[in-house]
Amino acid sequence: LSVIDSREQKRKYSNSVHQLFHDTFKNYQVLLFYLVPAFLYCLYNNLAFINLAIFDPTTYYLLLQFRVVVTAVIFQILFKKHLSKKQWLSLILLTCGCIIKQLKVSHPETPVIESSDAQMPSFLKLHLSYNLVLILVQVFCSCFAGVYNEYLLKDTGAHVHLMIQNIFMYFDSILCNFLVLVFKGEVMNVFNVDMVSSILQPLVILVIFNGTGCGIITSVFLKNLNSILKNFASALELAFTAVLCWVIFGIAIDIFTILSIAIVSYATFMYSQNPVVNTVRADTKDENQENCV
């Protein structure tokens, strides 16, 4: 009984606020490391509004699909792993499948990028410019933040409990966004009565909880799987979304969607035959098991 009581006390202590502060001060370096992905995600979200105002939806979403390839390149560099030719082929097919899915979106009546040939699709009119650099920076921010987050979960911060790392990530994200508001001089506009009341709406609160849940699930996904497989999960999401929109809203599935689903499915099947394996650093597994509640 004494052994059971000691375990129960340890479990309660592990969940206490005191233990949270203890773990934070003990692992302050990991907290600082999380400033990197937090800043990059903050920059990504702000660039999304800028780029959506510049590019039409087709061009914007087409360029974002290159996250698959960029993620693979950064993954190889950070984890010192080399993808096989078959794995690269599956990633390229996945990118093509995602691009084809976006081809059905067109807004020729409101072209964003000027060109002498008005009939040419906007995504073919791209040239190296400040606007294009911005969206490439946005792609890099998303990819590097995701892979670096996995690196912290499996290597540098692998000895820290998963939920503590989520707290580090959210705290640093709040800090980065607050600093952006200070830089833009909009802090007082955010903390006024009207803004707070607009946030405290049932649907907005549900969106916040949904985003929080997605963030936690993503951390579990990256901890146990990897960023490469996350790309396939995101691509398959396109197919599921198309089917659900057809069932719930009656939105027709066109030839582009069917072709995209077929290519993404084949790419996923090809990748499943030779997946990338990236596990948690070996010397932290036993410690993590002891710290799990």
Side-chain angles (χ1 to χ4, degrees), residues 170-217:
Y170 284 122
F171 175 80
D172 288 344
S173 298
I174 293 172
L175 177 61
C176 289
N177 282 279
F178 179 78
L179 292 177
V180 170
L181 291 174
V182 172
F183 178 77
K184 296 171 67 175
E186 299 178 355
V187 175
M188 300 307 298
N189 295 334
V190 173
F191 294 100
N192 58 43
V193 177
D194 294 334
M195 183 63 68
V196 174
S197 61
S198 64
I199 294 175
L200 298 178
Q201 301 292 329
L203 290 178
V204 176
I205 294 175
L206 286 176
V207 171
I208 293 173
F209 276 105
N210 179 70
T212 304
C214 290
I216 294 174
I217 292 173

Side-chain angles (χ1 to χ4, degrees), residues 70-140:
V70 177
T71 297
V73 173
I74 297 174
F75 182 88
Q76 288 190 139
I77 296 173
L78 277 183
F79 290 104
K80 296 180 174 61
K81 291 180 176 290
H82 296 283
L83 275 64
S84 66
K85 293 181 180 179
K86 191 171 185 178
Q87 290 168 342
W88 272 114
L89 180 59
S90 64
L91 289 171
I92 293 173
L93 284 175
L94 187 70
T95 303
C96 293
C98 294
I99 289 176
I100 290 173
K101 174 65 173 65
Q102 302 301 331
L103 289 178
K104 69 174 182 178
V105 184
S106 59
H107 297 270
E109 70 280 1
T110 56
V112 177
I113 302 177
E114 296 293 335
S115 175
S116 58
D117 187 359
Q119 301 300 320
M120 185 182 296
S122 59
F123 62 87
L124 295 178
K125 305 173 189 176
L126 289 173
H127 57 279
L128 185 59
S129 64
Y130 174 74
N131 296 334
L132 182 58
V133 171
L134 282 182
I135 200 167
L136 292 178
V137 170
Q138 183 185 353
V139 170
F140 175 80

Side-chain angles (χ1 to χ4, degrees), residues 2 18 23 28 43 48 51 73 101 103 127 144 159 172 175 178 198 230 242 245 247 266:
S2 61
H18 178 271
D23 290 340
Y28 71 94
L43 181 58
N51 290 326
V73 173
K101 174 65 173 65
L103 289 178
H127 57 279
F144 189 84
H159 61 283
D172 288 344
L175 177 61
F178 179 78
S198 64
K230 182 176 176 291
C245 287
V247 173
Y266 181 74

